[in-house]
Amino acid sequence: MKITDIEKNKGTRYTIYVDEEYWYILDIEVISSNGLKVGMECDEEFLQELKRQADVRKARERALYLLSYRDHSKKELIDKLCKSVDEDVAEKTADRMEELGFLDDEKYADKLARDLLERKKLGERRAGFEMRKKGLEKELIESVLEQYRDEIDPTEQIR
């Protein structure tokens, strides 16, 4: 197989043609790091590795975009990334975001509980239900809600 054309697309993205047929869209970062050029011979294994690198980059960019917009739970981020990349890539990307400190389920759970209990005036059970929908673990939810039991008056919440 042979790369027959590399066409500029939007921004830093390029359309790659292999044997005169559309193959994939890659970012300039992937193209330059692998030294791709027109006329280059490649095998199926190499092309699959390029796709994997492109997916890793796509997942990283998407995760950073989503986390810049608002906080997410790890499961919520993985679910959103799975819409455009494999689950394995999504999980590794979420793990990396966690390592870098961009993703913290405990901090997110605390922030979400405060919002649900104080701003939205939900009861403890309903707040727990909403937090489970976000993909937070039951033990984490219980420990976070425990902190607010003394602060939140159920009768006041009902009013």
Side-chain angles (χ1 to χ4, degrees):
M1 293 190 279
K2 184 186 222 177
I3 297 176
T4 52
D5 198 10
I6 300 176
E7 284 182 4
K8 177 103 168 100
N9 212 333
K10 290 183 178 178
T12 61
R13 298 165 51 95
Y14 289 80
T15 303
I16 309 298
Y17 293 89
V18 174
D19 295 335
E20 303 290 332
E21 292 183 14
Y22 166 81
W23 175 71
Y24 209 62
I25 295 177
L26 298 176
D27 192 86
I28 189 68
E29 180 182 316
V30 176
I31 293 171
S32 63
S33 67
N34 289 285
L36 296 185
K37 57 187 173 197
V38 174
M40 183 177 177
E41 290 289 334
C42 50
D43 59 3
E44 189 64 35
E45 187 177 309
F46 179 70
L47 293 175
Q48 289 305 315
E49 175 59 21
L50 289 176
K51 275 188 180 182
R52 190 196 65 74
Q53 288 178 24
D55 286 347
V56 166
R57 186 182 187 293
K58 183 192 312 183
R60 183 186 70 220
E61 295 299 317
R62 181 78 176 141
L64 289 171
Y65 170 77
L66 291 169
L67 292 170
S68 71
Y69 177 65
R70 72 170 179 84
D71 288 336
H72 289 72
S73 69
K74 186 173 183 178
K75 183 183 179 329
E76 192 179 23
L77 182 64
I78 290 171
D79 290 346
K80 286 186 178 186
L81 292 177
C82 280
K83 292 177 182 177
S84 58
V85 296
D86 292 341
E87 187 173 350
D88 182 48
V89 173
E91 287 176 4
K92 286 179 182 174
T93 302
D95 289 342
R96 182 68 177 141
M97 293 297 124
E98 203 170 36
E99 285 173 25
L100 295 171
F102 298 135
L103 192 63
D104 184 351
D105 275 358
E106 290 179 24
K107 187 177 88 176
Y108 176 65
D110 186 56
K111 198 174 180 181
L112 183 59
R114 181 173 298 283
D115 182 59
L116 293 172
L117 295 170
E118 293 180 359
R119 191 178 66 80
K120 291 190 175 182
K121 304 289 185 194
L122 297 182
E124 186 178 326
R125 286 183 62 193
R126 176 68 190 272
F129 174 75
E130 294 297 325
M131 292 171 77
R132 276 190 296 281
K133 282 181 17 183
K134 298 288 186 181
L136 296 169
E137 294 179 11
K138 187 176 182 179
E139 296 80 27
L140 177 61
I141 294 169
E142 289 173 3
S143 70
V144 168
L145 291 176
E146 179 71 35
Q147 298 171 3
Y148 292 101
R149 280 203 182 107
D150 296 334
E151 296 176 30
I152 305 298
D153 179 25
T155 358
E156 190 61 37
Q157 293 289 85
I158 292 170
R159 281 192 209 138

